[in-house]
mmCIF file of all heavy atoms in Angstrom:
data_model
loop_
_atom_site.group_PDB
_atom_site.id
_atom_site.type_symbol
_atom_site.label_atom_id
_atom_site.label_comp_id
_atom_site.label_asym_id
_atom_site.label_seq_id
_atom_site.Cartn_x
_atom_site.Cartn_y
_atom_site.Cartn_z
ATOM 1 N N ALA W 85 -20.159 8.972 -2.244
ATOM 2 C CA ALA W 85 -20.995 7.744 -2.210
ATOM 3 C C ALA W 85 -20.187 6.552 -2.698
ATOM 4 O O ALA W 85 -20.321 5.447 -2.168
ATOM 5 C CB ALA W 85 -22.248 7.955 -3.053
ATOM 6 N N PHE W 86 -19.381 6.749 -3.725
ATOM 7 C CA PHE W 86 -18.626 5.635 -4.348
ATOM 8 C C PHE W 86 -17.441 5.212 -3.484
ATOM 9 O O PHE W 86 -17.193 4.017 -3.283
ATOM 10 C CB PHE W 86 -18.148 6.073 -5.729
ATOM 11 C CG PHE W 86 -17.542 4.964 -6.549
ATOM 12 C CD1 PHE W 86 -18.349 4.052 -7.221
ATOM 13 C CD2 PHE W 86 -16.188 4.831 -6.660
ATOM 14 C CE1 PHE W 86 -17.801 3.028 -7.987
ATOM 15 C CE2 PHE W 86 -15.599 3.823 -7.429
ATOM 16 C CZ PHE W 86 -16.420 2.917 -8.089
ATOM 17 N N PHE W 87 -16.666 6.196 -2.988
ATOM 18 C CA PHE W 87 -15.441 5.892 -2.241
ATOM 19 C C PHE W 87 -15.595 5.980 -0.729
ATOM 20 O O PHE W 87 -14.742 5.489 -0.004
ATOM 21 C CB PHE W 87 -14.306 6.814 -2.661
ATOM 22 C CG PHE W 87 -13.871 6.664 -4.095
ATOM 23 C CD1 PHE W 87 -14.036 7.699 -4.997
ATOM 24 C CD2 PHE W 87 -13.261 5.501 -4.523
ATOM 25 C CE1 PHE W 87 -13.620 7.577 -6.316
ATOM 26 C CE2 PHE W 87 -12.830 5.362 -5.857
ATOM 27 C CZ PHE W 87 -13.015 6.398 -6.737
ATOM 28 N N GLY W 88 -16.621 6.680 -0.248
ATOM 29 C CA GLY W 88 -16.820 6.843 1.180
ATOM 30 C C GLY W 88 -16.116 8.054 1.790
ATOM 31 O O GLY W 88 -16.304 8.339 2.966
ATOM 32 N N THR W 89 -15.324 8.734 1.009
ATOM 33 C CA THR W 89 -14.572 9.892 1.498
ATOM 34 C C THR W 89 -14.128 10.777 0.352
ATOM 35 O O THR W 89 -14.214 10.374 -0.812
ATOM 36 C CB THR W 89 -13.326 9.418 2.315
ATOM 37 O OG1 THR W 89 -12.692 10.553 2.899
ATOM 38 C CG2 THR W 89 -12.346 8.661 1.439
ATOM 39 N N LEU W 90 -13.662 11.967 0.688
ATOM 40 C CA LEU W 90 -13.014 12.847 -0.271
ATOM 41 C C LEU W 90 -11.969 13.597 0.517
ATOM 42 O O LEU W 90 -12.272 14.351 1.432
ATOM 43 C CB LEU W 90 -14.022 13.822 -0.913
ATOM 44 C CG LEU W 90 -13.538 14.547 -2.162
ATOM 45 C CD1 LEU W 90 -14.701 15.119 -2.920
ATOM 46 C CD2 LEU W 90 -12.490 15.573 -1.921
ATOM 47 N N ASP W 91 -10.702 13.331 0.204
ATOM 48 C CA ASP W 91 -9.610 13.847 1.024
ATOM 49 C C ASP W 91 -8.814 14.997 0.387
ATOM 50 O O ASP W 91 -8.302 15.864 1.078
ATOM 51 C CB ASP W 91 -8.640 12.700 1.380
ATOM 52 C CG ASP W 91 -9.380 11.583 2.076
ATOM 53 O OD1 ASP W 91 -9.768 11.781 3.239
ATOM 54 O OD2 ASP W 91 -9.594 10.522 1.455
ATOM 55 N N ILE W 92 -8.658 14.920 -0.935
ATOM 56 C CA ILE W 92 -7.898 15.944 -1.629
ATOM 57 C C ILE W 92 -8.644 16.336 -2.903
ATOM 58 O O ILE W 92 -9.151 15.457 -3.627
ATOM 59 C CB ILE W 92 -6.477 15.431 -1.990
ATOM 60 C CG1 ILE W 92 -5.707 15.069 -0.725
ATOM 61 C CG2 ILE W 92 -5.723 16.461 -2.831
ATOM 62 C CD1 ILE W 92 -4.385 14.354 -0.984
ATOM 63 N N ALA W 93 -8.719 17.625 -3.172
ATOM 64 C CA ALA W 93 -9.293 18.098 -4.429
ATOM 65 C C ALA W 93 -8.197 18.831 -5.194
ATOM 66 O O ALA W 93 -7.440 19.601 -4.623
ATOM 67 C CB ALA W 93 -10.467 19.053 -4.157
ATOM 68 N N VAL W 94 -8.136 18.540 -6.493
ATOM 69 C CA VAL W 94 -7.167 19.211 -7.354
ATOM 70 C C VAL W 94 -7.964 20.000 -8.398
ATOM 71 O O VAL W 94 -8.601 19.409 -9.269
ATOM 72 C CB VAL W 94 -6.200 18.215 -8.035
ATOM 73 C CG1 VAL W 94 -5.212 18.971 -8.914
ATOM 74 C CG2 VAL W 94 -5.472 17.386 -6.985
ATOM 75 N N ASN W 95 -7.940 21.321 -8.263
ATOM 76 C CA ASN W 95 -8.615 22.200 -9.247
ATOM 77 C C ASN W 95 -7.638 22.386 -10.414
ATOM 78 O O ASN W 95 -6.753 23.218 -10.352
ATOM 79 C CB ASN W 95 -8.963 23.528 -8.617
ATOM 80 C CG ASN W 95 -10.114 23.439 -7.663
ATOM 81 O OD1 ASN W 95 -11.124 22.816 -7.973
ATOM 82 N ND2 ASN W 95 -9.965 24.029 -6.504
ATOM 83 N N ASN W 96 -7.813 21.563 -11.428
ATOM 84 C CA ASN W 96 -6.888 21.551 -12.559
ATOM 85 C C ASN W 96 -7.542 21.900 -13.892
ATOM 86 O O ASN W 96 -6.834 22.180 -14.852
ATOM 87 C CB ASN W 96 -6.207 20.159 -12.633
ATOM 88 C CG ASN W 96 -5.281 20.044 -13.781
ATOM 89 O OD1 ASN W 96 -4.236 20.695 -13.820
ATOM 90 N ND2 ASN W 96 -5.671 19.287 -14.788
ATOM 91 N N ALA W 97 -8.865 21.885 -13.953
ATOM 92 C CA ALA W 97 -9.545 22.188 -15.200
ATOM 93 C C ALA W 97 -9.190 23.577 -15.656
ATOM 94 O O ALA W 97 -9.167 24.531 -14.858
ATOM 95 C CB ALA W 97 -11.053 22.057 -15.035
#
Side-chain angles (χ1 to χ4, degrees):
F86 189 80
F87 295 115
T89 186
L90 195 162
D91 303 289
I92 299 171
V94 181
N95 287 314
N96 177 69

